[in-house]
Amino acid sequence: MRCFWDERQRSHAPAAEFFNGELHPAAEHQGRVDAILGAIGSTEAPADYGIEPILRVHSRAYVDFLREAFAQWRSAGRDGDAFPYTFPIVGRRPLNFDRIDASLGHFSFDTSTPIGERTWDAAYWSVQTALAALDAVLVGERAAFAFTRPPGHHAGRNYLGGYSYLNHAAICAEAALAAGKRSVAILDVDYHHGNGTQDIFAGREDVVFASIHADPRTDYPFFWGHADESRGNILNLPLPRDTELAGYGDALTQALDWIERSRPRLLIVSYGADTHEADPISHFKLKTSDYAPMARRIASLGVPTLIVMEGGYAVDALGANVAAFLEGFE
Ligand SMILES: [Zn+2]
């Protein structure tokens, strides 16, 4: 399978995140890069598709904020990465403040997604990597893999969170529609609900979104991903902690049947390896050997497929998990 990656994605290097009440080493760290690159073999670097595909999904104000936030943080005399610490409650009227702390809270929903000196650069090239893999599928590849990092599925039109800054799955869905695909399906199989993707596409008729994830009553991102949010083009299939392949497979069958009924011309898979039993921040019980059969079932839809990388933090197992998933598409 053709795989895409840009070395500039490596430069995003968060030192820490707030987790379980303390400053904790960042789970989404650079060690994930070599784990995956070492397992997937050769990769192709993307062309530069520019800012326009990003602006089809994210607001100009949010993109400008992302580009400028770290410089503003430094101008305010701060060391280290930029973190938000105060947030507007849903329904508060929009206000514009000069102070970086207000902007950080305005455009973020958690404290685990810091902005460092190279975050914009890495997130921008991660998008270009996804668009290059999409291009490969649009010109005839049955499937292609974009090693997108940092991840994307928690990022909404005007917010970051969950280690995500720009939403690759959404940007590629919009790019595919702009290129003439009439209908796109997104299947999210990360451990966590893809809240950003859901928010971006809720109510649309040309994109359907199905997500299999940990029940948000017990797991991040808590405020999205509940079963009763399923309506129209959205299908949420929350599963309890400790789910193994048997329970997971039932949900996958349901998601694939639902997706098939929308007759998509392109499938985008948000793949997270944090469903693995060894993942340090997640609680499913999938094994490395489960990923190839899982991928084969997705491939059996027979729809051209772009795979983008989301989470996966068990670094020792990460390469094998990604390789097994991609092997299922061969
Ligand atoms: Zn995740």
Side-chain angles (χ1 to χ4, degrees), residues 33-203:
V33 172
D34 289 322
I36 292 178
L37 291 180
I40 63 175
S42 65
T43 57
E44 302 172 48
D48 187 351
Y49 297 82
I51 197 77
E52 288 309 316
I54 296 172
L55 291 174
R56 282 197 195 102
V57 166
H58 297 285
S59 71
R60 169 64 78 173
Y62 173 65
V63 168
D64 288 346
F65 156 77
L66 261 188
R67 280 171 143 158
E68 300 300 325
F70 186 78
Q72 289 183 27
W73 181 254
R74 277 293 149 90
S75 302
R78 314 287 173 67
D79 290 326
D81 295 340
F83 274 101
Y85 70 89
T86 179
F87 304 91
I89 300 293
V90 175
R92 279 272 185 276
R93 66 198 166 110
L95 295 163
N96 287 313
F97 291 105
D98 290 336
R99 197 166 143 175
I100 181 62
D101 306 85
S103 302
L104 281 163
H106 180 71
F107 290 114
S108 306
F109 74 89
D110 70 19
T111 53
S112 58
T113 316
I115 299 174
E117 187 169 13
R118 312 292 295 183
T119 298
W120 166 256
D121 209 29
Y124 178 87
W125 284 102
S126 190
V127 167
Q128 306 309 324
T129 286
L131 290 166
L134 172 66
D135 241 6
V137 175
L138 292 180
V139 301
E141 292 292 323
R142 208 175 62 77
F145 175 60
F147 176 13
T148 41
R149 186 246 169 209
H153 71 152
H154 295 298
R157 194 170 295 286
N158 55 7
Y159 63 79
L160 59 84
Y163 317 147
S164 303
Y165 305 87
L166 297 171
N167 192 312
H168 315 103
I171 290 166
C172 287
E174 290 288 13
L177 292 167
K181 293 280 182 188
R182 288 206 302 279
S183 137
V184 177
I186 302 172
L187 173 65
D188 192 316
V189 292
D190 186 273
Y191 178 79
H192 306 94
H193 178 249
N195 59 292
T197 315
Q198 172 173 304
D199 273 354
I200 289 164
F201 291 118

